[in-house]
Amino acid sequence: MSNLTRRNFLKSSLGASGALLLTSTAFAGDKEKKKHKKLGKDPVYALEEINDLINKLEKKGRKFRDDRLDADNEAQWDRLVEYYFDRDDYSCLSVNSANLCPSMKPVSKMVDLVQDMLKKDISFPMRGELAEASLSKGLDVIKNWLGLEKQEYEADYLMALVANSTQGNNFINNGLMASKFFNPKKDNVVVWDVNHPTNYQAWEYRKATQGWSDDSIRIMGTKMFSNSVSPDELKKGILPSNPKSADEIINALKQTVDKNTKIVTLSWQSNECGMLLPMARVVHELRAINKNMHIHADSAQTFGVLDLKLGDLDVDSITGSFHKWPCGPKMVGLLYMNNKSNAAERFIPSEWGYDEHIKTPEDYGFMAKDGVIDPNAKRFSYLGQQNDATLVATWMTALFHTGKLHPNVTPTKIEKRIHYLGTKTKEALFKNLPKIYPDFTEEEAYKWISTPTTNDNLRSSVFLFKCPQGVQAGNVVNNVYEKHQLAIANLKVLGHDLIRISPTFCNTTNDVTQVVEATIDVISNMQKGKLANNTIYRTYA
């Protein structure tokens, strides 16, 4: 029966009232059809909208083209900070870049844009465009940011976007074990006792639970709050927390390395003592001992801090997090593999899934039954569904750091500015620490400040100092937060209760002065019994 015949039949059967009912129902159906039809009229063109946002922000940023951004030009950096960060909306000002930073406005705008797109469209075509934005176009800019623009390899051959530095470090550690690149029966791994736990305690745990030999893990030690070590301490691979020169670091490291060292894994800048290693020299010295060892530089505290120039540095791998110093999106990190040394081939990935294009390794010709996988960093990208919004926002972060959004921003200028803020932190500590340590002197500042103060080339902007006896660092952090709405950190390091202040380019010099003065004020009042003490022992209280 045709629609017309059926409609005539119903009319005659139902009568006039039935016809009216039928007509209203039919009109409702037409509206529904139109409603559903409209969804197809406004498709989301992700790359087009993303590029529109980038072009809009680039155009707005041109007003800063005359700002040369010298490290000490407070007016120009204050303008940058005011423009890129919603400071008026903060309920707490963070000077804690070693843990977490606020995201720049362009980063947040990109996250919001992509999340809004995904509310409207989660189709494969849509997700394909987002994959193109993040792990093609975005990684290309990150490649330039890290000084890899001369590398012939595609960006995703050199880098993978992962969850954070912790996941990246675990990919390194677990992968080198699973592939049998490292054999604890004959090889040794060198670690630093002020590495991040994922790069130190993780190795100790394997040794304790898998019956490794005593010599399988060698430790470069740190003599905290000291500017020298004894000959016996040096033979054990111990360096002072305040070295006079890079020679003292290299001499201690060499005591731990021999022809059986297969892996050296170090924090490029330690979050626990504030020391910045001379990584180019470290790599050069290590290669002279054993050119085939794997050298991993945990860059959680150098990614977004230093002009890394990875194209000129013979390190095998680094990890980093966008949510720290670069002021990028949360929940995304970086894993770099040096393709010159075929570093990625040493690892068996601990995860097997599909990449951003919903493809498994087999789709690229790496058959599971043959036991092979991509011989590059892409082997760490088969992570299944990730947060598309944060992945795409890494592109925006890289565009800022390479001067696309704010003219004259370069990795070198960011490095110099952060180092300058570190200098201002040191000066503020020198001025204020005598208020709680009457015998403090600048010449012997290393007795109270673990971050190197004698040689400024061996630090950036991670400053750690002692908490006075009887004062709990956790309470200091909590009181600074509650009384002054400022965020800093506390750490237990090699038996010492420490306070950490770590500014980056989202901070002003006034922030640095304010946070140091506030911290010392809190400690002084705690010593006088005017503020709570001995109640909080956790970092998160």
Side-chain angles (χ1 to χ4, degrees):
M1 183 181 289
S2 71
N3 286 338
L4 181 60
T5 306
R6 179 178 176 81
R7 183 172 295 173
N8 289 337
F9 170 76
L10 287 170
K11 278 184 179 180
S12 62
S13 301
L14 297 173
S17 61
L20 288 171
L21 177 62
L22 179 64
T23 303
S24 64
T25 305
F27 283 144
D30 287 342
K31 287 179 181 178
E32 284 297 313
K33 286 178 183 176
K34 287 180 181 178
K35 180 181 177 183
H36 289 297
K37 205 172 181 183
K38 188 177 180 181
L39 291 175
K41 289 183 178 178
D42 299 304
V44 176
Y45 295 108
L47 279 171
E48 186 177 311
E49 292 194 32
I50 288 168
N51 278 312
D52 284 347
L53 176 59
I54 291 171
N55 292 334
K56 178 181 177 182
L57 293 172
E58 180 186 5
K59 185 177 180 181
K60 286 185 174 181
R62 289 174 191 162
K63 63 185 176 183
F64 299 106
R65 61 183 174 272
D66 294 329
D67 287 2
R68 307 314 300 173
L69 297 176
D70 294 327
D72 60 352
N73 192 317
E74 305 294 1
Q76 291 181 3
W77 282 100
D78 285 356
R79 277 198 294 273
L80 184 150
V81 170
E82 182 180 1
Y83 184 74
Y84 286 98
F85 297 94
D86 287 313
R87 288 166 64 96
D88 289 341
D89 291 337
Y90 295 168
S91 61
C92 171
L93 180 66
S94 178
V95 194
N96 186 24
S97 309
N99 281 123
L100 196 63
C101 283
S103 298
M104 291 181 285
K105 290 180 186 178
V107 171
S108 298
K109 286 180 184 293
M110 183 63 81
V111 169
D112 291 343
L113 176 65
V114 175
Q115 286 179 335
D116 188 55
M117 290 177 184
L118 290 170
K119 289 178 186 176
K120 302 172 184 176
D121 187 342
I122 52 172
S123 65
F124 275 2
M126 168 65 172
R127 293 171 66 194
E129 285 201 65
L130 294 178
E132 175 73 9
S134 61
L135 293 170
S136 179
K137 295 181 179 297
L139 270 187
D140 280 343
V141 184
I142 295 171
K143 178 182 173 183
N144 295 339
W145 177 15
L146 300 182
L148 294 163
E149 63 275 2
K150 294 180 182 178
Q151 285 276 8
E152 59 184 304
Y153 304 102
E154 296 292 334
D156 66 349
Y157 286 13
L158 301 168
M159 295 172 289
L161 294 180
V162 294
N164 46 43
S165 299
T166 293
Q167 185 182 50
N169 283 340
N170 278 290
F171 275 160
I172 300 295
N173 302 343
N174 292 326
L176 288 171
M177 288 299 305
S179 68
K180 296 184 172 58
F181 174 82
F182 177 75
N183 181 351
K185 292 183 179 179
K186 62 177 183 177
D187 303 328
N188 64 68
V189 55
V190 171
V191 299
W192 190 14
D193 63 357
V194 287
N195 276 355
H196 189 272
T198 58
N199 217 15
Y200 175 40
Q201 293 173 6
W203 287 104
E204 293 277 18
Y205 177 79
R206 291 184 186 91
K207 176 181 177 180
T209 58
Q210 298 176 25
W212 292 4
S213 67
D214 289 341
D215 196 45
S216 57
I217 297 178
R218 296 184 170 192
I219 301 170
M220 181 170 73
T222 310
K223 187 176 181 180
M224 296 289 282
F225 303 105
S226 175
N227 69 341
S228 64
V229 295
S230 68
D232 286 342
E233 288 171 328
L234 177 59
K235 288 180 182 178
K236 295 176 182 177
I238 298 173
L239 70 155
S241 61
N242 186 57
K244 299 178 186 67
S245 70
D247 290 344
E248 295 179 59
I249 299 172
I250 299 301
N251 291 340
L253 180 60
K254 281 185 172 181
Q255 301 300 316
T256 66
V257 178
D258 64 15
K259 59 184 178 61
N260 294 320
T261 301
K262 206 64 180 287
I263 304 166
V264 176
T265 179
L266 306 168
S267 288
W268 194 331
Q269 179 173 216
S270 171
N271 68 306
E272 296 192 352
C273 81
M275 189 184 301
L276 179 67
L277 298 181
M279 191 54 67
R281 186 173 170 194
V282 165
V283 173
H284 176 75
E285 298 281 355
L286 291 175
R287 294 288 182 225
I289 297 170
N290 180 354
K291 66 179 181 179
N292 295 318
M293 70 174 66
H294 187 96
I295 304 172
H296 175 60
D298 178 353
S299 299
Q301 312 302 335
T302 50
F303 174 52
V305 178
L306 303 184
D307 183 2
L308 293 177
K309 292 186 173 69
L310 294 181
D312 300 325
L313 183 68
D314 195 26
V315 70
D316 290 301
S317 56
I318 75 160
T319 51
S321 294
F322 282 83
H323 61 255
K324 294 181 187 288
W325 306 85
C327 298
K330 311 297 187 290
M331 301 186 298
V332 61
L334 179 78
L335 175 59
Y336 159 79
M337 287 286 159
N338 190 339
N339 221 296
K340 293 179 183 176
S341 61
N342 299 315
E345 294 186 61
R346 299 169 181 164
F347 299 82
I348 290 181
S350 55
E351 300 186 27
W352 182 284
Y354 56 84
D355 69 0
E356 71 278 10
H357 298 292
I358 323 297
K359 290 185 176 182
T360 70
E362 289 199 353
D363 291 312
Y364 296 100
F366 302 101
M367 308 308 291
K369 63 182 177 61
D370 297 327
V372 293
I373 197 171
D374 302 74
N376 48 63
K378 191 170 179 61
R379 65 174 52 197
F380 301 99
S381 292
Y382 298 100
L383 303 178
Q385 179 62 48
Q386 293 178 270
N387 188 333
D388 290 311
T390 57
L391 294 184
V392 176
T394 63
W395 183 10
M396 195 65 89
T397 313
L399 288 172
F400 170 82
H401 282 269
T402 53
K404 179 77 170 177
L405 303 183
H406 195 97
N408 301 317
V409 167
T410 65
T412 298
K413 289 183 178 179
I414 292 289
E415 175 180 338
K416 288 181 178 179
R417 175 61 178 178
I418 294 175
H419 191 276
Y420 173 81
L421 292 172
T423 299
K424 291 300 177 183
T425 306
K426 184 179 84 168
E427 291 173 355
L429 287 171
F430 280 9
K431 179 180 178 181
N432 287 279
L433 280 176
K435 296 175 185 178
I436 57 172
Y437 291 114
D439 51 347
F440 176 88
T441 63
E442 293 185 13
E443 294 74 20
E444 295 186 315
Y446 59 85
K447 293 182 178 180
W448 294 270
I449 303 172
S450 71
T451 302
T453 54
T454 298
N455 188 336
D456 281 347
N457 291 323
L458 301 179
R459 59 89 180 158
S460 176
S461 188
V462 179
F463 274 83
L464 298 105
F465 59 96
K466 282 181 180 178
C467 200
Q469 188 172 2
V471 173
Q472 295 290 338
N475 289 99
V476 174
V477 170
N478 199 55
N479 284 321
V480 168
Y481 171 74
E482 291 185 349
K483 186 177 179 184
H484 297 279
Q485 290 76 55
L486 296 167
I488 55 174
N490 63 284
L491 287 82
K492 297 279 189 182
V493 180
L494 302 177
H496 299 281
D497 199 16
L498 305 183
I499 297 167
R500 186 179 65 203
I501 295 171
S502 48
T504 188
F505 69 91
C506 70
N507 296 116
T508 66
T509 56
N510 185 60
D511 294 344
V512 171
T513 301
Q514 181 185 2
V515 76
V516 171
E517 289 179 351
T519 302
I520 301 305
D521 173 70
V522 161
I523 293 173
S524 178
N525 280 294
M526 289 174 66
Q527 289 176 318
K528 296 172 184 176
K530 296 180 179 180
L531 288 173
N533 189 29
N534 297 318
T535 60
I536 296 171
Y537 297 89
R538 295 171 292 165
T539 301
Y540 290 160

